[in-house]
Amino acid sequence: MISIASYTKEFSYNLKLSYPVIVGMLGHTFVQFIDNVMVGQLGTAELAAISLGNSFIFIAMSVGIGFSTAITPLVAEGDAAKRTKEVKSIFYHGILWCTVLGVLLFLAVFLSRDIMYLMGQPKEVVVLAFPYLKWVSLSLFPLVVFQAFKQFTDGMSLTRYSMYATVLANIVNVVVNYVLIFGKWGFPEWGVTGAAVGTLVSRLVMLVVIILLIRYHKTLSFYTKGLLYEAYSKTQMRKLFSLGFPSALQMLFEVAFFTSAIWVCGMLGKNAQAANQIALNISSMTFMVAMGLSIAAMVRVGNQKGLGAYVDLRRIAHSVFLLTLLIDIVFAIVFIVAKDAFPWLYLESSTAADVIEVAAIASSLFWVAAFFQIFDGAQVVALGALRGLQDVIVPTWICFASYGLIGFTTMVYLGLYTPLGAFGVWIGLLSGLVASSMLLYLRFRYQTSKLIRNNGTTP
């Protein structure tokens, strides 16, 4: 029997490995938070507009970021086994894949903007969202290429470098937003479009910074020397694709699930859509803690897989699961306590009917958000551990069934066909997360039990 202490003793290293990833992931979300807070001062229609525009961006980002996660477990396993040439090859081919994806995703989003007019969204919101999406779609290219470098450093257990790049990029984003949204220091007042340009500039800065940090790092610089002349390998490209494509689908299903909440709330009206954006944005920030711990689970499981230490692999993964659960319980309590205060971070103090309604709806959504913190964290950490095992096919089907069949149908029915409205939409979100977290954990238990049994060891 494994004691609780055998799990808790891993907490400090789990946090050491994951906190830079958490800060970096929060940085991505903080870009949206700054956009939301600053644009929210312009009005509820403007806030709904960036919510609608970002719904397209989030779907594209999920494909790029999801695909890039294939780099981390392969690098982690190769690094633990001291296979430096293989790690360098994975790094090179990961950059190739992400570069191609970055171009394709930019083009896909840019060319699909007219779909907004066909989605039954408020016309005033679509008019504002159209120019915003034009600029933010361009930022997908540097963001996805950045992910290749980030996932490489994460796999090498050097998670701080992406954090440094992201923090600096956020400072740039705040400054450019302030200048271009409100027309300060002699610059034009671009409103929603100014927020989009700020996002583009910050993501370009992020990419340049992480390249420089890797290039001049005493250990990592080895992997950049002669990188452009690295031999092309169909085998490596297929290996990355076989892991990256299902991982991208997993993230796509989840992000599309949450994005559909934006669209369903938009069908309920701009106030429901704005309220949904507030609750979703804050929930996304706390979710980044679980995302960081998911990367820690992926790296540590990948390391143990490379060493063939399967009993320790499961024990370490369980330590990440337990740590995530404890943190998310704290977040759930915070959400319940601060549910009435959170909406006013985004809304200008006013007695206008629209503003009051948005605040009331958003406050009610935080009740549900409090509970799904726990299940959202559980499912993403379980996914990270399964990716560390390089088990991606069955988890992809689990994500599809949980989000597409259970969660989405519940969301549509409760949101559009009952008086619950936006609250019903979030009950649908919760139902999908409960299903995915339970099924993914059972999958992890099954896979690790099989590995332990086949290698003649006992837990």
Side-chain angles (χ1 to χ4, degrees), residues 68-79 83-98 148 151-152 223 227 230-231 233 235-237 239-240 243 390:
S68 71
T69 59
I71 299 169
T72 301
L74 292 173
V75 168
E77 183 181 348
D79 182 47
R83 300 193 296 262
T84 55
K85 289 185 178 179
E86 181 180 337
V87 169
K88 188 172 184 179
S89 179
I90 293 165
F91 181 34
Y92 169 73
H93 290 87
I95 294 172
L96 281 182
W97 265 121
C98 288
Q151 299 296 343
F152 165 70
Y223 295 97
L227 192 63
E230 185 73 18
S233 167
T235 301
Q236 287 289 17
M237 292 294 274
K239 184 187 291 187
L240 282 165
L243 285 177
Q390 298 175 30

Side-chain angles (χ1 to χ4, degrees), residues 325-335:
L325 174 64
L326 295 174
I327 291 172
D328 282 336
I329 288 173
V330 173
F331 283 146
I333 295 170
V334 171
F335 273 43

Side-chain angles (χ1 to χ4, degrees), residues 233-445:
S233 167
K234 289 184 179 179
T235 301
Q236 287 289 17
M237 292 294 274
R238 281 196 298 266
K239 184 187 291 187
L240 282 165
F241 183 82
S242 66
L243 285 177
F245 182 65
S247 296
L249 286 179
Q250 292 165 12
M251 193 167 286
L252 175 63
F253 293 148
E254 182 179 0
V255 171
F257 178 45
F258 280 87
T259 299
S260 66
I262 296 173
W263 296 341
V264 174
C265 284
M267 297 172 73
L268 297 171
K270 70 180 180 68
N271 289 345
Q273 192 174 52
N276 174 75
Q277 178 64 8
I278 290 170
L280 195 59
N281 191 238
I282 289 183
S283 298
S284 297
M285 284 189 284
T286 54
F287 174 67
M288 290 305 116
V289 176
M291 276 289 287
L293 289 165
S294 174
I295 298 296
M298 191 191 312
V299 172
R300 299 203 68 190
V301 167
N303 288 156
Q304 297 305 310
K305 184 174 183 291
L307 296 171
Y310 299 115
V311 173
D312 280 341
L313 182 156
R314 186 157 75 175
R315 178 182 60 82
I316 288 169
H318 279 154
S319 76
V320 183
F321 298 162
L322 178 59
L323 179 59
T324 306
L325 174 64
L326 295 174
I327 291 172
D328 282 336
I329 288 173
V330 173
F331 283 146
I333 295 170
V334 171
F335 273 43
I336 292 171
V337 171
K339 65 182 179 63
D340 294 324
F342 279 150
W344 297 103
L345 295 173
Y346 298 79
L347 301 168
E348 186 177 8
S349 181
S350 170
T351 57
D354 278 353
V355 174
I356 297 298
E357 183 181 4
V358 169
I361 297 172
S363 179
S364 72
L365 299 183
F366 282 113
W367 277 108
V368 187
F371 289 97
F372 85 51
Q373 290 296 304
I374 296 168
F375 295 101
D376 205 7
Q379 64 85 23
V380 76
V381 173
L383 265 179
L386 288 166
R387 287 170 184 159
L389 288 174
Q390 298 175 30
D391 177 33
V392 291
I393 302 298
V394 171
T396 300
W397 286 108
I398 290 174
C399 290
F400 173 74
S402 299
Y403 305 137
L405 302 181
I406 298 173
F408 180 72
T409 54
T410 304
M411 174 198 304
V412 171
Y413 174 73
L414 294 180
L416 299 181
Y417 299 101
T418 75
L420 292 173
F423 190 83
V425 170
W426 277 61
I427 293 293
L429 291 175
L430 177 60
S431 68
L433 293 171
V434 170
S436 65
S437 61
M438 291 182 174
L439 292 172
L440 289 168
Y441 177 71
L442 289 174
R443 176 65 180 177
F444 176 78
R445 289 285 300 180

